[in-house]
Amino acid sequence: MIFSVASYFVVAAIAPWLVRRLGRNAFLVLAALAVATTGWALTRATSVFDGRPVVESREWIPQQGVSLAFRCDALALLMVFLAAGVGVLVLVYCARYFAADEPGLGAFAGVLVAFAGAMIGLVTTDDLILLYVFWELTTVFSYLLIGHRSEHRGSRRAAMQALTMTTFGGLAMLVGLILLGQTAGTYLLSEILAAPPGGTLVTTAIVLILVGALAKAAIVPFGSWLPAAMAAPTPVSAYLHAAAMVKAGVYLVARLAPGFAELDPWRPIVLIAGCATLLLAGWRALREDDLKRVLAYGTVSQLGLLTAVTGAGNRDAALAGIAMLIAHALFKATLFLVVGVVDHAAGTRDLRRLSGLARTMPITCLAAVVAALSMAGLPPTVGFVAKEAVYEAFLHRGRTDTVVLGVLVAGSALTAAYSLRFVWGAFARKPGVPTTRCEPAGALLLGPALLLGAGCLALGLAAGALDHWISSYADLFPSTGSDYHLALWHGPGIALNLSAAAICVGVVLFLAREPVLRLQSATARIEPSRLYDALVRGVDRSALQLTGTTQRGSMPVYVGVILLSLIAIIAATALGNLPLPFPRSPRWSDSAAQLVVCLLVIGTTLIAAGTRGRLPAVLLVGVTGYGCATLFVLQGAPDLALTQGLVETVSVVVFLLVLRRLPRRFGDTTRPGRRVVHIVLGALTGAVLAGVAVSAFAARTRPPVSRAFAAAAEEAGGKEIVSVLLVDIRAWDTMGEIAVLAVAAIGVTSLIFVRRDRALPRLGDRAPDQPARGPRPVAAETLVPERRTVVFEMVARVVFPTVLVLSLYFLFSGHSTPGGGFAGGITAGLALLVRYLAGGRYELAEAAPLPAGRLLGAGLVIGAGTGLVGLIAGGSALRSTVIDGTLPPFGDVHIATSVFFDIGVYLLVVGLVQDVLSALGAELDRRIEQTRDQDAERTVIV
Amino acid sequence: MSMSTAATATLAVTKVDAPTIEYGKLSPILIIAGVAVVGVLIEAFLPRPARYRAQLTVALVGMIAAFGAVVWLARDLPDDHRGSVTAMGAVAVDGPSLFLQGTLLLIGIASVLLIGERRLEPAGGDAFAPQAAAAPGSQQEKDAAAAGWTQTEVYPLTMFSLVGMLLFPAANDLLMMFVALEILSLPLYLLCGLARRHRLLSQEAALKYFLLGAFSSAFFLFGVAMLYGYSGSVSLDKIGVASAGAMDNDALLLIGLAMVAVGLLFKVGAVPFHSWTPDVYQGAPTPITGFMAAATKVAAFGAMMRFFYVALPGMRWDWRPVMIGVAIVTMVAGAIIAITQTDVKRLLAYSSIAHAGFILTGMIAMSDAGVSSTMFYLVAYGFVTLGAFAVVTLVRDARGEATHLSHWAGLGRRSPLVAGVFALFLLAFAGIPLTSGFSGKFAVFQAAARGGAGSLVVVGVLCSAVAAFFYVRVIVLMFFSEPKVDGPTVVVPSVMTTAAIALGVAVTVVLGILPQPVLDLADKAALFVH
């Protein structure tokens, strides 16, 4: 079996090549494959029908318990006969149905063959997952087949709809299969059915599997896709929608029924869905004018019948169901092929335009009439045999079955009516319609339809044999006691009367077609395909709304969602763990001053958040920084305060420099309502995180690590903990940080000077013929008079050396008193800043003797060098040594070698500040001037 | 002047031994780090015209060598497949680490092939801005483009990011994990902003990614502090020991857990921390989008699994319900929003969100099968994603990549091969059998069902169905619509992109038809070292 299934895929792969070589006759070659399968099935038939299935298995994905297991029992073999047998005829039919130069025929042929392979695999496999694989393969292939003539918009929609529906069903089924397999502990169908597991999980699983099966069989509420799929070429309809694909759903119901029909939801689902489909689609078929659509709705209706009967779950019903399934495949395939012939010959499928074909196409008409008899359930066809069995299976049982029986009879009446309508529509001569001209059909086109039609008759006559073939499947169900057997003639009885009644009502319905049509248009609102459209539209719209509300590309919204989620998570966690750890006797402040500063900082923060101007915002944020520094002082940490204050100053100045190029106010894009939301969200987040922080401190169980810092600083030969921390204890971190600082400085400036020389402008560049330096301040020559303040310039020049000395003091005293390389560097940077602010960019160039890059580089080299020296001298990198001694002018000195490291930090920080000043200060100055000059020129020209 | 030597100034009073580091065990990471540094040196010292070849060669050779190192380490794993920790317990060298590192390196190789593609732009150059620092539309930019400059820094940046990714799933303590997170993220932020076309969009994407990423990193760090406060250690093992005996009142632990999880969920793009994904995927240069989509997910899920499986197995009853909720919301939102997308890259972004949900499904199983199925899914998903984005780079019109879906109408007629390959990837995303997507989904759903998360499986499959809907819609659009007259053309790429796409196709098909060898491998590699 593995071989024969695989051979389909191999042949499918070479089919395009065959078609290219042989044209449409290649289909005849392809049909040989299906003939071979049918032959194989014939050789196995005797033993299989006697209850000895053919079994074959290979490993595939052992880890997940999936194997290439095949098992061909009576049910499977019958399905193989249908798939392969009808397949042969359809392939032969294809050889004449398509024009020789049909575009894309090669691919079509390949897909059709592959589909046949998948279908045969589906019915013979014994592995749930492999079943799903084939299931999805038939979906995908059918989709390609339906979409073959893809130019039509209708085709496209149909393909889409078919695929969506069946994929949805397929995935639901997958869950069911996994759940079932997991509970049963095996993925082998035969083992599961031999000992069906139970429980809620299994019930869920079975419901999901049923959803998949019903979707595939086009049962209400999933039925809408099948009529839409009729846009496919006729052989595809004949094969997929009569014999093969839609039968997969019924097959699965039939396959599982012996094990699971007793589960609570099983019968209500199959019976209600099946009966509803039978009636709705049957009624709808009476309205259609396109012959193919008449058949399509007829098919849906019959699938409803099949589902209800095969799913009923007793021996007689199973027997009747499978008989009906075979009968349906035969007569529906015949009728589809007939439609193709008619379409081919007359050029239309519209029953309002066809007239008098019975005379011109007698043989076609004969085949159609036999098939229609079978469909309507008249003797001596197999349809009659099956329908009798169906009625019998629901007779003499409970109340439910009687209701179902009523529906089945009503459905049969509808079936009879549309059978008549079909034959009348296709072949009858209609008053007022000219006789349709048509071309004769060839033997290869007619042959398959005739053969299938003959099959309807032959099987009816051979009802006894049919009974034997099906019985080994039907006997899987517990015996009902009566043990019905299929036969062409059971003699008069209730079943026969019901048949007769159904036919009579059907004839009446057909004769009264005008009033029926009027009634139809009144009920036309309830159309499944509209339901589908509405569903798709609804999903589209809700998706659009969801996108519109959550994905507007706005950062505040994104951040808001994240913050909200965070708050929710933390709040939920906290509420679940009450009481939270909280300081037992919280001390709100150490001193009144501290409290005042805190309130000041909080107040400033609030105002900063509310302000609309950029400048005030920056200044206010600066104030919070200074407030923090003040808190450090009050806490007794002047060193931290010093550093914090210096950093704050530099950053405020840098901000101000940049703000010159930005609008003065923040954009007013936020609506007031949203501002309130932002404020609330911000406050909430702050409160929650503050709460977390307080709670976290209270939950502390270990002593703080900083207790040991003082002793460590002493050991390192210093008194200033912060400095020692920076250059000694955490010297590696500082090393990394200054490297980052250098990179950041280079990054900032390289963004400003994209392709310009980064050197600061000097006086000489500006006017090369003038002497470069003179006793007068630089600003006199470079700044416009309004911007000059001579006093400031002079003060800046005078203060400059003093501040530099102060910075050096900070640098060298750092180990013992507040200061250090970082603070020193920033102080020196501030000195540069003052010079720049006083005298502009040329003054900055005067003040800075070295390019910033060199300072940065030197800083890094010295820092790293100290580390290396430590490594060489002391055995570990950045190791520090203390030198005590007397230096004549200064008196006693106490130097740790780590001071050299600090020098590196110092130089680097100076370089950073200078770099930022020259980029954000001097270079921006130049651009502003440039813009102003250009504007001025433009004004002049105007 | 007298001199005296002071003692070594270290914090601890007792002598600290220098850390012993088994460099051999870290060799994959170290090789790539070395490659990245060499890349920087190439930028500094080689003349401009020679850089491209040099960068490409160094990166590819380095990644192949690193992959070799991973294989060598994997062969060295003891028979019970338990790994070991190295670098003083900071890095784990075990099955999951090596499996994911190997995956990452293969994805990296394919990504670098895409990044190195230079045939697609009509005017020459690659997918990146000729000079990233030049303002969009400025004269400088035009000059740089005219001079034929390219930003070959993307190679070292990609390599640095890869270093972080390799380290992320292997990090065995939270600080190392944080460092890895930042190493992988920072270059990515930058790379996202380097697109040659639609530069403002690209820069906006980079800024958004950076800001939101910074937020999530802050949460992560805050969470680490909480966990440290709870357990007195940042080591996952020790947190695991401490949390195993967790009593009722452990808000500190839970809040820490939640905040670290937020950081991780942000990186994998799970709802509600997903909002950056579509904007960034759309704005970033497509090769980078592919790299990011595939590799970041692999790395972040690796880290997430280690975090939950090693540090918090005892807490599963607390975090599992929440994570199940997150997984459900992620799958649902990703699948539903994707329906309305009209841009291919955004569509793939939402699909990646939905897939994050599917992968979470596997992780939540909390079993070896959960680990192995998640890892298998990551392999399958990574290559499909990369391949899909690679195809996106090929469909172009005068304005660059034609990402609007309407441009893709009828592509199947014009270039059946490219459209067919894309259709294959879409079917794999949808989880149709005989593609890697099905094997992956089957594996995670099976693991979840076994782990008792049946509800998750049901939601997962329903979302797959919704997702299938929009994948199918694209296929229908490509094959069943008339091509537009002024539609985009499919540019014939160089052998590099072709190779990357071919790799994607091969993995998709092979993992679909014969998944067993890789499943075996993932199964053997499913044990975290404790």
Side-chain angles (χ1 to χ4, degrees):
Chain A
M1 266 172 292
I2 295 178
F3 173 75
S4 51
V5 171
S7 64
Y8 276 85
F9 294 104
V10 175
V11 172
I14 60 166
W17 175 79
L18 272 178
V19 171
R20 216 174 303 143
R21 288 292 300 272
L22 304 173
R24 58 184 188 173
N25 287 333
F27 280 103
L28 298 176
V29 180
L30 299 176
L33 180 63
V35 171
T37 312
T38 320
W40 173 88
L42 280 174
T43 60
R44 298 289 184 279
T46 329
S47 64
V48 169
F49 288 138
D50 286 342
R52 291 190 299 278
V54 185
V55 180
E56 198 177 338
S57 182
R58 285 275 159 76
E59 268 201 351
W60 184 26
I61 319 176
Q63 186 185 354
Q64 296 176 342
V66 179
S67 55
L68 296 173
F70 288 87
R71 183 170 185 277
C72 189
D73 58 3
L75 179 62
L77 196 67
L78 284 170
M79 295 299 294
V80 170
F81 271 126
L82 284 186
V86 178
V88 173
L89 298 173
V90 166
L91 284 168
V92 170
Y93 182 84
C94 280
R96 287 298 168 266
Y97 176 82
F98 289 106
D101 55 350
E102 173 98 13
L105 200 57
F108 175 85
V111 177
L112 191 60
V113 171
F115 174 85
M119 191 65 210
I120 292 170
L122 194 160
V123 294
T124 49
T125 183
D126 195 29
D127 186 281
L128 288 181
I129 298 308
L130 200 57
L131 175 82
Y132 175 72
V133 169
F134 285 124
W135 189 273
E136 287 294 300
L137 280 182
T138 58
T139 305
V140 173
F141 291 144
S142 75
Y143 165 65
L144 294 173
L145 291 173
I146 294 169
H148 171 60
R149 282 184 185 153
S150 48
E151 303 81 52
H152 307 297
R153 196 181 144 70
S155 250
R156 199 160 74 227
R157 259 204 63 202
M160 180 80 209
Q161 204 175 345
L163 194 62
T164 312
M165 285 300 204
T166 46
T167 308
F168 169 79
L171 285 167
M173 196 174 95
L174 175 63
V175 188
L177 294 176
I178 294 181
L179 292 179
L180 185 61
Q182 290 298 340
T183 345
T186 169
Y187 280 97
L188 284 184
L189 252 173
S190 49
E191 286 180 16
I192 293 173
L193 288 170
T200 335
L201 213 54
V202 172
T203 311
T204 322
I206 292 298
V207 169
L208 287 169
I209 296 175
L210 276 182
V211 166
L214 298 187
K216 193 97 169 180
I219 300 299
V220 168
F222 311 107
S224 60
W225 65 266
L226 185 54
M230 287 299 152
T234 303
V236 172
S237 304
Y239 193 45
L240 269 63
H241 306 136
M245 185 174 89
V246 291
K247 292 284 161 50
V250 181
Y251 162 78
L252 196 61
V253 172
R255 178 58 84 196
L256 294 176
F260 299 101
E262 299 304 323
L263 288 182
D264 285 334
W266 175 281
R267 283 211 175 83
I269 290 177
V270 291
L271 291 179
I272 293 175
C275 289
T277 311
L278 172 65
L279 291 182
L280 287 176
W283 177 245
R284 185 73 164 70
L286 289 177
R287 194 175 88 202
E288 290 300 331
D289 294 326
D290 181 343
L291 287 177
K292 221 166 143 189
R293 289 180 71 85
V294 174
L295 290 185
Y297 280 103
T299 307
V300 176
S301 164
Q302 295 283 309
L303 288 170
L305 173 80
L306 289 173
T307 308
V309 178
T310 48
N314 62 60
R315 186 198 163 277
D316 289 358
L319 185 71
I322 301 304
M324 195 71 215
L325 182 122
I326 294 167
H328 176 255
L330 290 177
F331 65 66
K332 203 45 79 55
T334 314
L335 293 174
F336 271 118
L337 294 185
V338 163
V339 172
V341 175
V342 169
D343 193 9
H344 213 262
T348 179
R349 302 190 305 242
D350 192 330
L351 53 76
R352 289 165 303 186
R353 289 169 56 199
L354 290 166
S355 179
L357 284 190
R359 194 78 44 92
T360 45
M361 307 179 74
I363 306 177
T364 317
C365 181
L366 181 70
V369 167
V370 172
L373 285 179
S374 185
M375 179 150 81
L378 280 170
T381 60
V382 66
F384 170 74
V385 173
K387 203 151 273 180
E388 290 282 286
V390 167
Y391 293 151
E392 196 65 41
F394 286 88
L395 269 174
H396 323 296
R397 287 170 186 280
R399 198 185 300 158
T400 324
D401 281 8
T402 314
V403 175
V404 173
L405 180 63
V407 175
L408 295 183
V409 174
S412 298
L414 291 171
T415 310
Y418 68 71
S419 303
L420 264 170
R421 182 176 163 80
F422 177 84
V423 175
W424 165 82
F427 298 102
R429 181 175 307 159
K430 299 174 191 96
V433 184
T435 306
T436 318
R437 296 169 52 87
C438 51
E439 300 156 16
L444 283 182
L445 200 58
L446 267 181
L450 268 180
L451 270 176
L452 282 169
C456 298
L457 268 181
L459 269 189
L461 299 173
L466 189 61
D467 184 75
H468 170 65
W469 299 342
I470 304 175
S471 59
S472 86
Y473 163 72
D475 288 338
L476 292 175
F477 294 92
S479 168
T480 47
S482 62
D483 280 2
Y484 183 83
H485 285 282
L486 295 176
L488 183 57
W489 190 249
H490 273 278
I494 306 178
L496 189 64
N497 295 343
L498 287 175
S499 272
I503 300 286
C504 291
V505 176
V507 172
V508 170
L509 274 176
F510 168 70
L511 292 177
R513 54 184 177 274
E514 293 304 322
V516 165
L517 270 180
R518 276 198 296 282
L519 191 62
Q520 283 276 3
S521 47
T523 55
R525 288 170 155 277
I526 318 161
E527 189 170 337
S529 109
R530 286 198 186 178
L531 207 76
Y532 170 83
D533 287 346
L535 190 72
V536 168
R537 256 203 313 280
V539 170
D540 265 347
R541 194 172 308 140
S542 59
L544 210 58
Q545 268 164 3
L546 192 62
T547 314
T549 43
T550 62
Q551 203 73 48
R552 42 178 72 245
S554 138
M555 280 297 282
V557 174
Y558 292 174
V559 175
V561 169
I562 293 181
L563 291 180
L564 256 182
S565 319
L566 186 80
I567 294 171
I569 293 174
I570 292 180
T573 316
L575 290 179
N577 286 280
L578 292 174
L580 292 175
F582 198 75
R584 216 163 278 143
S585 50
R587 203 171 60 193
W588 295 104
S589 77
D590 289 337
S591 66
Q594 210 177 30
L595 204 62
V596 171
V597 176
C598 275
L599 289 176
L600 186 75
V601 168
I602 292 172
T604 328
T605 314
L606 289 179
I607 303 172
T611 182
R612 295 294 182 82
R614 288 178 201 264
L615 193 65
V618 164
L619 292 177
L620 287 165
V621 170
V623 170
T624 63
Y626 290 118
C628 221
T630 319
L631 282 181
F632 289 148
V633 173
L634 292 174
Q635 200 73 25
D639 40 5
L640 279 185
L642 177 67
T643 313
Q644 171 82 29
L646 290 171
V647 168
E648 207 56 52
T649 311
V650 172
S651 35
V652 166
V653 171
V654 168
F655 255 127
L656 294 180
L657 290 176
V658 176
L659 281 187
R660 293 180 301 167
R661 292 290 267 179
L662 289 177
R664 287 180 55 205
R665 296 171 69 79
F666 294 113
D668 282 333
T669 49
T670 329
R671 275 183 283 130
R674 194 163 295 151
R675 272 184 81 81
V676 174
V677 175
H678 290 176
I679 290 168
V680 170
L681 193 61
L684 255 176
T685 313
V688 166
L689 288 185
V692 167
V694 170
S695 184
F697 277 119
R700 147 167 262 156
T701 53
R702 281 149 212 274
V705 71
S706 53
R707 293 259 163 85
F709 280 174
E714 196 69 42
E715 191 188 345
K719 295 198 186 84
E720 233 302 301
I721 295 178
V722 175
S723 295
V724 171
L725 206 62
L726 282 177
V727 299
D728 224 323
I729 299 177
R730 296 256 179 259
W732 269 117
D733 294 5
T734 311
M735 187 71 221
E737 274 160 30
I738 59 173
V740 169
L741 216 55
V743 172
I746 295 166
V748 168
T749 48
S750 65
L751 280 177
I752 302 288
F753 300 98
V754 179
R755 280 169 68 187
R756 272 175 52 85
D757 184 14
R758 299 177 36 181
L760 278 168
R762 299 208 170 250
L763 267 181
D765 310 338
R766 192 162 169 269
D769 46 329
Q770 286 183 4
R773 291 193 69 163
R776 296 194 312 144
V778 180
E781 293 166 30
T782 55
L783 280 187
V784 282
E786 308 90 271
R787 266 208 59 192
R788 289 191 62 193
T789 52
V790 180
V791 177
F792 189 21
E793 280 166 31
M794 292 335 274
V795 169
R797 287 212 157 189
V798 170
V799 165
F800 186 65
T802 324
V803 179
L804 279 189
V805 170
L806 177 69
S807 79
L808 288 175
Y809 170 76
F810 278 152
L811 167 62
F812 289 110
S813 72
H815 227 53
S816 313
T817 54
F822 187 75
I826 294 221
T827 313
L830 283 174
L832 286 176
L833 176 71
V834 171
R835 286 285 295 271
Y836 162 71
L837 289 179
R841 54 199 161 113
Y842 293 94
E843 180 78 14
L844 178 64
E846 289 300 315
L850 283 175
R854 295 223 185 126
L855 288 175
L856 289 168
L860 264 187
V861 167
I862 292 176
T866 319
L868 280 181
V869 169
L871 188 66
I872 294 160
S876 77
L878 294 169
R879 187 192 167 98
S880 141
T881 309
V882 179
I883 305 165
D884 283 312
T886 325
L887 205 64
F890 295 101
D892 284 346
V893 289
H894 167 86
I895 298 178
T897 51
S898 58
V899 82
F900 296 110
F901 185 66
D902 237 2
I903 292 171
V905 176
Y906 174 88
L907 288 176
L908 196 128
V909 172
V910 177
L912 170 75
V913 176
Q914 190 185 325
D915 217 5
V916 168
L917 282 179
S918 61
L920 300 177
E923 172 65 9
L924 280 193
D925 280 347
R926 191 188 64 76
R927 291 200 197 164
I928 291 170
E929 277 170 27
Q930 204 177 15
T931 330
R932 200 185 302 136
D933 290 350
Q934 280 166 359
D935 286 351
E937 274 173 36
R938 218 169 287 146
T939 333
V940 171
I941 292 166
V942 168
Chain B
M1 195 185 280
S2 69
M3 277 194 179
S4 68
T5 323
T8 320
T10 40
L11 183 56
V13 180
T14 53
K15 187 171 159 46
V16 171
D17 292 324
T20 52
I21 296 173
E22 293 129 305
Y23 292 100
K25 290 195 168 180
L26 297 175
S27 53
I29 301 170
L30 294 177
I31 290 172
I32 299 299
V35 165
V37 172
V38 171
V40 172
L41 295 178
I42 288 174
E43 285 304 315
F45 295 113
L46 276 196
R48 215 174 259 278
R51 289 180 200 165
Y52 169 64
R53 261 169 205 290
Q55 292 283 19
L56 202 59
T57 316
V58 168
L60 286 175
V61 169
M63 283 186 289
I64 292 168
F67 187 75
V70 168
V71 173
W72 169 66
L73 286 173
R75 291 170 66 98
D76 263 15
L77 279 185
D79 287 338
D80 61 352
H81 303 294
R82 286 223 176 258
S84 56
V85 290
T86 181
M88 299 184 75
V91 178
V93 183
D94 56 7
S97 301
L98 293 173
F99 185 92
L100 295 175
Q101 285 177 345
T103 310
L104 282 166
L105 286 166
L106 289 180
I107 291 175
I109 291 172
S111 305
V112 166
L113 290 176
L114 290 183
I115 291 171
E117 175 65 54
R118 295 200 151 179
R119 282 265 185 86
L120 301 176
E121 285 288 341
D126 47 20
F128 302 94
Q131 193 183 21
S138 65
Q139 187 57 41
Q140 285 161 345
E141 186 191 28
K142 286 175 196 138
D143 292 347
W149 287 10
T150 48
Q151 204 82 64
T152 35
E153 286 90 343
V154 291
Y155 300 95
L157 284 172
T158 311
M159 289 303 108
F160 276 122
S161 183
L162 192 58
V163 171
M165 290 169 178
L166 294 177
L167 193 54
F168 203 29
N172 201 39
D173 79 37
L174 287 171
L175 278 185
M176 186 54 83
M177 208 178 258
F178 179 71
V179 170
L181 175 69
E182 291 302 298
I183 298 178
L184 88 84
S185 303
L186 288 170
L188 275 185
Y189 299 145
L190 194 54
L191 285 168
C192 284
L194 295 185
R196 176 177 286 260
R197 312 281 193 130
H198 308 292
R199 286 193 61 198
L200 286 177
L201 198 66
S202 171
Q203 293 184 349
E204 183 187 332
L207 191 65
K208 275 183 183 167
Y209 192 21
F210 171 67
L211 286 177
L212 293 174
F215 254 100
S216 75
S217 293
F219 290 148
F220 187 96
L221 205 53
F222 206 169
V224 172
M226 298 281 145
L227 290 179
Y228 179 78
Y230 173 79
S231 67
S233 170
V234 287
S235 147
L236 294 181
D237 297 330
K238 295 199 176 121
I239 296 174
V241 172
S243 70
M247 301 302 285
D248 289 340
N249 204 342
D250 42 17
L252 207 57
L253 172 65
L254 287 172
I255 292 176
L257 184 166
M259 297 188 94
V260 171
V262 167
L264 292 169
L265 288 172
F266 176 86
K267 277 291 153 202
V268 303
V271 177
F273 313 104
H274 67 292
S275 41
W276 58 275
T277 322
D279 295 357
V280 174
Y281 277 26
Q282 187 184 16
T286 308
I288 296 303
T289 313
F291 173 61
M292 188 164 67
T296 313
K297 269 216 168 61
V298 174
F301 269 109
M304 193 189 279
M305 281 198 291
R306 190 177 295 281
F307 176 63
F308 281 117
Y309 279 61
V310 176
L312 300 158
M315 300 293 296
R316 73 180 75 171
W317 305 117
D318 289 289
W319 61 257
R320 250 177 73 137
V322 180
M323 292 302 274
I324 287 178
V326 170
I328 288 177
V329 181
T330 305
M331 290 188 283
V332 171
I336 289 187
I337 299 184
I339 292 176
T340 58
Q341 298 309 316
T342 50
D343 183 284
V344 178
K345 284 169 86 177
R346 283 185 88 84
L347 180 86
L348 292 177
Y350 281 105
S351 116
S352 95
I353 294 173
H355 280 281
F358 296 136
I359 304 173
L360 277 176
T361 306
M363 196 205 81
I364 288 165
M366 214 44 207
S367 61
D368 290 348
V371 178
S372 75
S373 65
T374 306
M375 292 199 300
F376 180 85
Y377 200 113
L378 287 170
V379 177
Y381 173 77
F383 285 97
V384 176
T385 308
L386 201 61
F389 279 109
V391 174
V392 172
T393 63
L394 302 184
V395 183
R396 312 176 73 94
D397 59 16
R399 297 177 56 232
E401 288 161 7
T403 54
H404 198 277
L405 267 180
S406 65
H407 294 302
W408 286 56
L411 196 71
R413 304 291 182 72
R414 208 171 279 174
S415 343
L417 184 65
V418 170
V421 166
F422 197 65
L424 173 74
F425 291 142
L426 289 175
L427 290 177
F429 279 133
I432 300 296
L434 302 183
T435 63
S436 59
F438 172 72
S439 312
K441 267 195 189 132
F442 181 52
V444 293
F445 288 157
Q446 203 183 29
R450 231 178 252 166
S455 60
L456 208 51
V457 177
V458 174
V459 176
V461 173
L462 283 178
C463 290
S464 302
V466 175
F469 178 70
F470 61 77
Y471 298 128
V472 166
R473 197 134 79 168
V474 177
I475 297 179
V476 170
L477 188 75
M478 288 195 300
F479 286 95
F480 299 103
S481 307
E482 282 301 315
K484 279 193 173 175
V485 184
D486 54 344
T489 48
V490 171
V491 183
V492 179
S494 74
V495 67
M496 290 197 287
T497 300
T498 315
I501 295 178
L503 184 65
V505 171
V507 172
T508 307
V509 172
V510 169
L511 290 192
I513 296 174
L514 293 171
Q516 192 56 41
V518 180
L519 279 172
D520 278 343
L521 198 63
D523 226 24
K524 281 185 202 151
L527 279 179
F528 286 103
V529 62
H530 280 276

